[in-house]
Amino acid sequence: MPNPRSGDEEHVVFRQYLDAVGLQGLAGAEAAGLHTSEWYALSLIAQEGRLTSGELATRTGLTTGATTRLIDRLERAGYARRAPDPTDRRRVHVEPVPDALARVEEVVAPARRHVAEVLARYTPEQRALLFDYFARAAPAFRAATEEIRAAAPRRRTRKTD
Amino acid sequence: MPNPRSGDEEHVVFRQYLDAVGLQGLAGAEAAGLHTSEWYALSLIAQEGRLTSGELATRTGLTTGATTRLIDRLERAGYARRAPDPTDRRRVHVEPVPDALARVEEVVAPARRHVAEVLARYTPEQRALLFDYFARAAPAFRAATEEIRAAAPRRRTRKTD
DNA sequence: AGCAGTATCTGCATACGCGCAGATATTTGG
DNA sequence: CCAAATATCTGCGCGTATGCAGATACTGCT
């Protein structure tokens, strides 16, 4: 990697940073024994605390049938569980199993540790700034995610050329 | 631990940040029409600039046969191409197609834009610190990834023992 | 030149996720 | 109480990714 103008360099630095974080996430998902759709769904559930099957279907972009199976897998793997809705017995709430989230934490532990090492080299003020960035960037990334998913035409199958 | 209370909060902030970045990556991969193994492989190739089929097999943890098909898909989708090794004609180098990487950039564009908005609220000095963090954190995440993959009970792959 | 070792590719079989459409259970409205 | 609407589940088939093992092509060594 040569040393181009700093604007370019920032671009590359950020790109590689994103890639590294993304790859780490994928490795984590695999280590947790979860496929990406399951990992994605679990993140959604953990984030919202609790979702109905239908809501999960909407958020993941899957059909309700596929979502049922997805929940089956998550449940079988011990990451989530079904809970009845007291007011509407057709509905099924899906909620994370706390114990399993701890397992996910374990998988993320190496990343946390390595990053902690990096953070340790900064002053408390600098660390505060970084965490301020984390807090602000998370919603920004979530907004970007929604934007991407909204713009992406669902083209899972490439049979039609 | 100087401050358990704020430490806990940092924990959560960081976790949500990681989740948000990861989900964004997944959405991007899907928008690019790539499955996770393909996205993963493409990241590796882009990072190294060029890999042989065998090296890619090792890095992804796939068998050489599966890797051949993976390269086929990457090539058919226009993200990578095969290039002969001038010194060893058995070998096949896989390299990213620059044009396609630009397409991937497009997919990441929303994230870049949203984060740019966040970064715009900081002073140049603060931004410099953040980019310093990005540069340092990327290798840290890569190390974490290797650690995770090394520890993960990988599906029975290699038979070369 | 011949033989062993290496790198990649190709059939074959298997597993799995997903969409589709119908089935089942429950709520809501007349 | 019956019918329509709603939420989830199940049976079925398709497309695809992967492992395995053999085939093919090339290199290096004797």
Side-chain angles (χ1 to χ4, degrees):
Chain A
M1 217 67 67
N3 42 2
R5 295 159 298 285
S6 65
D8 268 4
E9 191 167 325
E10 283 189 351
H11 201 271
V12 171
V13 165
F14 186 67
R15 181 82 173 82
Q16 295 207 340
Y17 173 68
L18 274 196
D19 252 24
V21 178
L23 262 50
Q24 185 276 332
L26 285 186
E30 190 180 338
L34 293 176
H35 286 211
T36 46
S37 32
E38 296 153 4
W39 182 258
Y40 189 92
L42 185 58
S43 290
L44 286 177
I45 297 167
Q47 202 172 294
E48 300 291 339
R50 176 196 192 112
L51 284 173
T52 68
S53 175
E55 288 169 336
L56 188 57
T58 304
R59 297 288 291 267
T60 56
L62 296 175
T63 60
T64 59
T67 302
T68 295
R69 303 287 168 51
L70 173 64
I71 300 171
D72 286 346
R73 274 173 273 144
L74 280 178
E75 207 168 32
R76 194 150 38 83
Y79 285 106
R81 66 180 167 207
R82 288 177 163 90
D85 182 322
T87 71
D88 187 339
R89 289 165 52 185
R90 292 168 303 179
R91 283 205 169 93
V92 169
H93 287 282
V94 188
E95 50 187 32
V97 174
D99 217 35
L101 290 189
R103 223 187 318 159
V104 171
E105 268 302 317
E106 244 175 68
V107 146
V108 187
R112 198 184 286 285
R113 201 172 58 253
H114 282 272
V115 171
E117 272 178 37
V118 170
L119 292 178
R121 310 177 73 109
Y122 294 105
T123 66
E125 291 78 21
Q126 290 176 325
R127 274 205 299 278
L129 173 64
L130 289 172
F131 274 97
D132 180 73
Y133 162 77
F134 293 153
R136 292 177 192 275
F141 276 109
R142 282 195 281 271
T145 303
E146 281 189 29
E147 200 172 305
I148 291 170
R149 290 180 75 85
R154 184 149 300 290
R155 50 174 179 199
R156 215 59 185 119
T157 52
R158 331 152 161 150
K159 58 179 174 184
T160 49
D161 271 27
Chain B
M1 293 299 171
N3 203 334
R5 238 256 211 87
S6 70
D8 244 25
E9 190 168 326
E10 285 186 351
H11 200 274
V12 171
V13 166
F14 186 68
R15 180 80 174 85
Q16 295 206 341
Y17 172 70
L18 271 196
D19 251 25
V21 178
L23 261 49
Q24 184 275 332
L26 287 186
E30 188 179 340
L34 293 175
H35 287 212
T36 46
S37 31
E38 295 155 0
W39 188 56
Y40 191 93
L42 185 58
S43 291
L44 287 178
I45 297 167
Q47 202 172 291
E48 302 290 338
R50 176 192 192 115
L51 284 173
T52 68
S53 176
E55 288 169 337
L56 188 57
T58 304
R59 298 287 290 269
T60 56
L62 296 174
T63 60
T64 59
T67 303
T68 295
R69 303 288 167 53
L70 172 64
I71 299 172
D72 286 345
R73 273 174 275 143
L74 242 33
E75 206 167 32
R76 193 149 42 83
Y79 285 106
R81 65 178 170 208
R82 288 177 162 90
D85 183 322
T87 71
D88 187 339
R89 289 166 55 185
R90 292 169 302 179
R91 282 205 170 94
V92 168
H93 287 283
V94 188
E95 51 187 31
V97 174
D99 216 35
L101 290 188
R103 225 188 318 163
V104 172
E105 269 302 318
E106 237 173 78
V107 146
V108 187
R112 199 183 284 286
R113 201 172 58 251
H114 282 271
V115 172
E117 271 177 39
V118 171
L119 292 179
R121 310 176 78 107
Y122 295 105
T123 68
E125 290 77 21
Q126 290 176 324
R127 274 206 300 278
L129 172 65
L130 290 172
F131 273 96
D132 181 72
Y133 161 76
F134 293 152
R136 292 177 192 275
F141 277 109
R142 283 195 281 269
T145 302
E146 280 188 28
E147 200 172 305
I148 291 170
R149 292 178 74 86
R154 173 157 287 326
R155 297 186 189 278
R156 34 285 200 230
T157 42
R158 84 199 40 172
K159 60 157 193 175
T160 42
D161 272 15

